[in-house]
Amino acid sequence: MRLKLKDVEFSYSSVKVLDDVCLDLDEPKFVCVLGPNGVGKSTLVHCINRILKPQKGVVLLDQANVQEMGLKEVARKVGYVPQASTDMFPLTVVDTVLMGRHPHSGWNTSERDLDIVTGILGLLGIDDLALRSFDELSAGQKQKVLIARGLAQEPQLLLLDEPTSNLDIRHQLEVMELLGDLVRSRDLMVVMVSHDLNITARYAHLVIMMKGGRIFAVGTPEQVFTEENIRSVYGVEAQVVTTGAKPYVVPLAACKAPMAGEGSDLVRVEGMAPVGHAEPALPSDMSP
Amino acid sequence: MTSNGVPGTKASPFGLLSAFKGRNDASIKGQYRTYLFNKFLFMLSCGALVVVISGVSATLGSYDLRFLEVYQIIFDHLLKWSEPETVKVFVVWQLRLPRIIMGVVAGFGLAIAGTAMQGIMKNPLADPYTTGISAGAGFGAAIAIILNFGVVVGQYAIIINAFLFSLIPTFIIVSLTRFRRPTPSMMVLAGIATMYIFTAMTSLFMISADPNSVQAVYVWTVGTLDKASWTSIPIVFAIVVLGSVYLQVMAKNLNVMGMGDAGAKSLGVNVERTRVLILAVISLMTAAIVSFTGVIGFIGLVSPHVVRIFLGSDNKYLLPASGLFGAALLLGADAVARTIIAPTILPVGIITAFIGGPLFLYLIMRREKEVW
C-alpha cells in the first residue's frame, strides 16, 4: 500500500483547515500524526478515507485517486477507527465487529465473515466479550472492539482517531503494542492521530507534526520531538530527555509570548524520507 | 436467518464442530448462533401473538362468536368460495376482518417505519408521528378526501396527495440534519411544531368543508380503524409490504448508520443518499396508512423500544420483530377501544396515546443521564 497526498487543501465553509499538505508513505509503518487541537489532524484522516472531499489536491491509494473510487472500494482498503463514543442503540460486540465486514458482504452474514470476526476477537484477546453489549464495556474494551471492527474491514491502511485519548496507562500501552504488532505481522500501514507525545515517541516509526493546517515536521520521533519544534507547534517550553533510546518530553510551562501568526513560519517537508524540521525555530517566531 | 439451516441448537453442525476442536473460536460462533436463534424465537412468538389477538378481536362486538369459530369461518370461506351467506360469515368477513387486517397492516407499517426512523436518525424519540410526517400525510389525505379527488381519480389520488404533503416534514428533517446537526430533542421539537401546524390546517379545512363534521375531524386527527374496508386494503397492503422489504434490505446499512455519519461513510455507506431514500420510503408507507386510518400516534415509537429490550438493536431482527409487535399492539389497542365503553367505539388513537404518551415522557425524563 502506498499512500500519497498531493497539495491537499480543505476548508470548512471559509476556514481553511488543511493547506497544501503533501505526504508520501510507501511501506508498512506505524505513523502518528500530532499537533495541537484544531490543527486539522482529524480532517486529514477524513480526507484520506473519503469521508471529506478536499477542495484541492488528490489523495492516492496505490496510484488510484480516492475521490474516483466508490465508498465501498475505499472501505475495503482503508479501515477507520473513530473515537469511542456512546452508541444510541448499542449492539453486541460480535455484531459491532461484524459491521466492519459491511464493505465486503451483501445483505447476509456469511460463514467467512463470522470466521474473520471471531479470529480478530481472538487476536485482540476479547473473545470473552463477544456477546456483551457494546455500551456495557469499559473505555479500554470499547476501543479494542472498535479496532477489531477496523481490522474486520481487512484493510491495508488503518486510520485511527485518538484511540488512546481516554484510556488509562495500561490500556494505552496495550493498544499501542497491539498496533505495533499489527504493523509487523500483517503488513498493515497504521496512521494514527495522537495527543500523547511520549507514548507516540515510544512506538511510532514516523511522526508527522502539524501546525496551522500544514505539515510542520516529519521524521522519526528523535528528529521531530525537539524542544524548538514543541515550542513553535504547541507553544510550550519543554525539556526533551532521552530514556531507553527514545525521546521523552517533559513539559515545563506554556510560553508567555503569544504564538506567531499561524502558517507564517512553516517549513513544508515533502516525502517520507525522515527529515527533521529543516531549521531551528526562528527567533521571530516567539516575539509578538 | 443465516444460511445453513436452523442455527444455534446443540445439534447444529457448529456445536459438533466446536466440540471436536474444543476451540474458543468455534464456541463463540455456537453462542452467536444460539443468540440469533433466540431472536428468531422471539419473532415467532410476536407472529403468534398477532394471530391470537386477531382471533380475539374478531370475537368482540355485539354479535357473539367463539374464538375458534372465527378461524373456522375464515378457513372455510377461504377454501370454498361458494359461501353460505350466513350472518356469521358476513359478520366476520365484512364487518370484522377488514378492520383486523387494516390494523395488522397499519400497526406493522407504522412500527417498521418508526424503527427505521430511529435507526437512521440515531434518535430514540423519532417516529412518523413525532416528526410530523403522519400529520403532513393526514393533511394531504384530508384535502384529497374533502375535494373529492378520490371520486375523480380513485383512491390512489388520496395516497399520492398524502405522500406529497408528508414530504414537507421529511424535507424539514433532511435539511435539519444536513445543515444544523440537530440534537434528537431539537428534531422532535421541530416535528411537533410541524405536527401542530398540519393538525390545525386539517381541522380548519375539514370544519370549513362541513360545519357538522367536528367529530369526524376529531376522529381523523386521533386515528381510527373504523373506515377500514376491503377496497382500501390491497393498496395499503402492497405499499407496506414493498416498503418493509426495502427497509429490511437496508437493515445492515441502518446498523452501520447508527455509528454516526463519519463512521458509516468509512464503512462504505453513502449516508446522505441512504437517509433520503429511507425517509422517502417511510413517508410513502405512512402516507398510505394515514390515508385510510387517520393519524394514529405512538405505535412507531413504542414498538421498537419494547422489542429492543428483548432483541437488542440489530435492525436485521429488530425491524421485522417490531413490525409484528406493532401489529399486535395496534390490534390490542383497538380491541380495548372497542370494548372499554361498549357499545361506543373509541378511536384507537386514544388508546395508543395512553400507551405511548407515558413512554414518551419517560424517554424525555431519562434524557438527563444520556448523551443527548
Side-chain angles (χ1 to χ4, degrees):
Chain A
M1 166 67 63
R2 184 188 177 108
L3 169 67
K4 200 167 174 180
L5 276 71
K6 269 197 242 164
D7 309 321
V8 170
E9 199 178 301
F10 185 87
S11 314
Y12 286 108
S13 49
S14 60
V15 185
K16 199 178 264 185
V17 184
L18 287 182
D19 189 8
D20 227 359
V21 172
C22 294
L23 196 64
D24 191 350
L25 305 169
D26 68 352
E27 55 178 301
K29 276 211 160 140
F30 195 163
V31 182
C32 284
V33 183
L34 285 113
N37 293 329
V39 80
K41 303 182 297 290
S42 297
T43 308
L44 178 69
V45 163
H46 288 169
C47 283
I48 294 176
N49 69 348
R50 206 177 173 262
I51 290 178
L52 295 173
K53 183 181 193 306
Q55 277 89 3
K56 259 176 66 183
V58 284
V59 176
L60 301 171
L61 288 177
D62 289 335
Q63 319 297 333
N65 185 348
V66 168
Q67 288 302 328
E68 286 160 13
M69 293 160 78
L71 273 171
K72 279 207 169 183
E73 205 182 341
V74 176
R76 284 193 287 264
K77 291 192 167 171
V78 185
Y80 173 65
V81 180
Q83 291 177 20
S85 62
T86 318
D87 269 350
M88 194 59 73
F89 304 121
L91 299 172
T92 60
V93 168
V94 180
D95 288 322
T96 308
V97 179
L98 265 172
M99 279 204 273
R101 299 302 301 158
H102 186 78
H104 296 272
S105 55
W107 184 76
N108 216 354
T109 299
S110 72
E111 214 40 53
R112 203 176 106 77
D113 291 336
L114 215 49
D115 282 332
I116 289 170
V117 167
T118 48
I120 289 169
L121 291 180
L123 180 75
L124 303 200
I126 49 175
D127 11 21
D128 51 323
L129 303 179
L131 291 180
R132 295 267 300 277
S133 172
F134 182 72
D135 66 339
E136 290 171 3
L137 307 179
S138 73
Q141 291 169 330
K142 278 186 184 171
Q143 200 59 59
K144 283 188 186 169
V145 171
L146 293 181
I147 291 174
R149 185 175 64 200
L151 292 176
Q153 289 177 251
E154 296 189 304
Q156 291 160 280
L157 168 64
L158 187 65
L159 305 172
L160 301 100
D161 201 346
E162 296 182 31
T164 57
S165 53
N166 45 22
L167 302 188
D168 63 47
I169 183 77
R170 184 190 162 87
H171 282 104
Q172 286 189 26
L173 292 176
E174 276 182 16
V175 166
M176 295 302 276
E177 268 163 27
L178 172 71
L179 293 172
D181 287 347
L182 289 169
V183 171
R184 273 190 299 276
S185 62
R186 292 206 159 194
D187 255 12
L188 188 68
M189 186 190 287
V190 169
V191 175
M192 172 181 140
V193 172
S194 169
H195 270 306
D196 193 316
L197 301 176
N198 292 320
I199 292 267
T200 304
R202 300 247 317 135
Y203 292 95
H205 301 141
L206 188 78
V207 173
I208 298 171
M209 201 178 247
M210 293 183 69
K211 181 185 179 183
R214 295 181 180 223
I215 291 179
F216 182 80
V218 180
T220 61
E222 299 84 55
Q223 290 167 317
V224 174
F225 293 149
T226 62
E227 287 164 15
E228 297 80 36
N229 282 351
I230 289 165
R231 189 183 306 126
S232 55
V233 168
Y234 286 98
V236 165
E237 294 291 350
Q239 194 182 355
V240 179
V241 293
T242 306
T243 52
K246 299 284 182 188
Y248 188 86
V249 180
V250 184
L252 301 173
C255 293
K256 293 278 186 307
M259 289 174 71
E262 297 203 319
S264 61
D265 58 335
L266 292 178
V267 177
R268 207 177 81 209
V269 186
E270 278 199 55
M272 67 140 288
V275 188
H277 183 25
E279 306 157 84
L282 305 169
S284 66
D285 184 47
M286 303 313 302
S287 55
Chain B
M1 294 302 296
T2 34
S3 44
N4 60 344
V6 180
T9 51
K10 284 260 154 57
S12 83
F14 267 100
L16 282 176
L17 204 68
S18 68
F20 277 121
K21 284 163 87 186
R23 288 280 304 131
N24 216 8
D25 192 79
S27 96
I28 289 185
K29 281 210 221 165
Q31 285 173 33
Y32 186 64
R33 286 180 193 290
T34 315
Y35 158 83
L36 293 187
F37 185 66
N38 289 339
K39 293 188 176 197
F40 185 64
L41 277 185
F42 180 81
M43 263 189 267
L44 271 186
S45 3
C46 282
L49 196 64
V50 173
V51 175
V52 171
I53 298 185
S54 303
V56 172
S57 178
T59 62
L60 302 174
S62 50
Y63 188 88
D64 260 347
L65 279 166
R66 277 174 298 112
F67 182 65
L68 290 175
E69 216 175 358
V70 172
Y71 295 107
Q72 198 192 340
I73 292 169
I74 294 172
F75 277 118
D76 283 353
H77 190 76
L78 280 179
L79 293 179
K80 45 180 166 62
W81 277 104
S82 55
E83 72 263 29
E85 269 303 335
T86 61
V87 183
K88 274 183 185 174
V89 173
F90 179 81
V91 166
V92 170
W93 206 256
Q94 292 304 328
L95 297 183
R96 297 189 184 165
L97 213 47
R99 185 184 189 100
I100 289 166
I101 292 177
M102 187 58 104
V104 170
V105 172
F108 190 89
L110 289 173
I112 260 197
T115 313
M117 214 155 170
Q118 292 178 3
I120 45 167
M121 288 162 64
K122 295 181 65 179
N123 184 343
L125 301 177
D127 92 324
Y129 184 69
T130 55
T131 47
I133 292 181
S134 292
F139 178 63
I143 290 186
I145 292 167
I146 291 165
L147 299 185
N148 276 330
F149 287 14
V151 179
V152 189
V153 223
Q155 54 189 347
Y156 302 101
I158 302 175
I159 296 183
I160 290 169
N161 208 46
F163 176 59
L164 289 179
F165 277 91
S166 74
L167 288 179
I168 296 173
T170 307
F171 176 76
I172 294 173
I173 296 164
V174 171
S175 6
L176 264 178
T177 36
R178 184 159 293 179
F179 302 115
R180 293 297 307 271
R181 287 177 183 276
T183 60
S185 356
M186 179 177 158
M187 188 80 94
V188 168
L189 288 177
I192 288 175
T194 324
M195 182 165 81
Y196 270 125
I197 297 170
F198 277 117
T199 309
M201 289 200 295
T202 309
S203 309
L204 188 67
F205 219 83
M206 288 179 108
I207 292 171
S208 53
D210 173 7
N212 300 320
S213 65
V214 177
Q215 203 219 343
V217 171
Y218 175 72
V219 168
W220 178 263
T221 50
V222 178
T224 174
L225 294 174
D226 274 348
K227 296 193 205 80
S229 72
W230 282 115
T231 48
S232 52
I233 285 172
I235 174 76
V236 183
F237 183 80
I239 290 177
V240 167
V241 166
L242 289 178
S244 304
V245 167
Y246 174 76
L247 294 178
Q248 187 64 44
V249 169
M250 300 302 282
K252 268 194 170 180
N253 286 276
L254 280 172
N255 285 347
V256 173
M257 284 174 78
M259 322 167 34
D261 288 10
K265 265 191 171 178
S266 77
L267 286 176
V269 174
N270 187 334
V271 178
E272 284 88 10
R273 200 184 61 193
T274 311
R275 184 179 288 128
V276 169
L277 275 177
I278 289 180
L279 276 174
V281 169
I282 290 173
S283 304
L284 181 60
M285 287 168 73
T286 310
I289 295 165
V290 165
S291 294
F292 300 103
T293 65
V295 183
I296 299 175
F298 295 113
I299 292 289
L301 179 79
V302 177
S303 311
H305 281 291
V306 173
V307 175
R308 250 186 227 109
I309 297 172
F310 299 97
L311 266 195
S313 307
D314 186 348
N315 283 295
K316 224 167 131 182
Y317 307 97
L318 179 63
L319 281 169
S322 100
L324 290 171
F325 186 85
L329 186 63
L330 187 56
L331 275 182
D334 187 52
V336 174
R338 283 159 59 195
T339 47
I340 195 161
I341 49 167
T344 311
I345 297 176
L346 289 176
V348 65
I350 293 183
I351 307 296
T352 61
F354 269 120
I355 306 168
L359 180 87
F360 196 58
L361 271 179
Y362 167 73
L363 288 171
I364 290 170
M365 311 255 250
R366 206 187 53 172
R367 196 186 100 115
E368 301 297 324
K369 285 184 259 169
E370 312 263 331
V371 205
W372 50 282

